[in-house]
């Protein structure tokens, strides 16, 4: 994955979507940049992370962050 913006840190929640893949949710448990284990990746890094589901090149990867707001219905 090429990180186009922001920061990815171990423990972040990811959402991967694609027409064939569907929707995959996961928590980042390990990040590798340039074949080295790292705690986080920043804009421009090419990173890899373990995932059990098959994903495809056209899939979109999103980091899910809590906005800190409690909403009540």
């Amino acid at each position: 994955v090429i990180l186009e913006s922001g920061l990815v840190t171990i423990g972040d929640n990811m959402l991967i979507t694609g027409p064939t893949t569907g929707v995959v949710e996961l928590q980042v448990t390990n990040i590798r940049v340039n074949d080295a284990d790292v705690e986080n990746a920043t804009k421009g890094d090419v990173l890899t992370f373990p995932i059990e589901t098959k994903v495809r090149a056209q899939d979109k990867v999103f980091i899910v962050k809590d906005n800190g707001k409690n909403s009540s219905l």
Side-chain angles (χ1 to χ4, degrees):
V1 173
I2 300 172
L3 190 57
E4 294 181 356
S5 66
L7 175 75
V8 178
T9 303
I10 291 175
D12 282 350
N13 293 311
M14 282 191 172
L15 182 70
I16 302 172
T17 64
T20 305
T21 304
V23 177
V24 177
E25 296 180 63
L26 67 113
Q27 186 173 45
V28 178
T29 58
N30 184 28
I31 302 171
R32 293 180 64 86
V33 175
N34 298 323
D35 294 323
D37 288 331
V38 296
E39 293 293 319
N40 56 55
T42 57
K43 180 179 177 180
D45 285 343
V46 177
L47 64 123
T48 60
F49 51 88
I51 183 169
E52 294 182 14
T53 305
K54 181 176 181 176
V55 294
R56 292 150 183 90
Q58 75 275 11
D59 291 348
K60 303 294 182 193
V61 181
F62 302 93
I63 302 300
V64 180
K65 301 275 187 177
D66 183 4
N67 67 5
K69 295 180 182 178
N70 282 334
S71 62
S72 57
L73 300 174

